[in-house]
Amino acid sequence: AAQTAGLKKDDVIIEIAGSKVSNTDDARELLSANREKSFYNIKAKRNGKEMSFDIKIPKKLKTANL
């Protein structure tokens, strides 16, 4: 979903949903605490330039074993 929104491999995430991120643990906590959301605004730096991305998380399909 992040790649589809335009986030690239070497982008540095600095903010998720309005909360500052300084390391991967911060990012995991924010995403885990908001796992029911289907949309996130993420700010990242690419080559020193700050950028904003709207990430849509696809809904999981409910399946049944028949």
Side-chain angles (χ1 to χ4, degrees), residues 5-12 44-51 53:
L7 211 59
K8 294 189 178 189
K9 180 182 173 223
D10 292 323
D11 291 349
V12 178
K45 282 191 176 183
R46 180 183 299 160
N47 300 324
K49 182 180 175 188
E50 193 172 302
M51 306 175 85
F53 301 91

Side-chain angles (χ1 to χ4, degrees), residues 13-46:
I13 296 172
I14 56 172
E15 190 176 296
I16 297 174
S19 297
K20 297 287 182 191
V21 173
S22 59
N23 57 48
T24 56
D25 290 334
D26 289 349
R28 263 191 227 108
E29 282 183 37
L30 286 168
L31 293 171
S32 178
N34 295 295
R35 78 176 57 172
E36 297 302 317
K37 284 182 137 185
S38 61
F39 171 86
Y40 293 96
N41 179 269
I42 292 180
K43 289 187 180 177
K45 282 191 176 183
R46 180 183 299 160

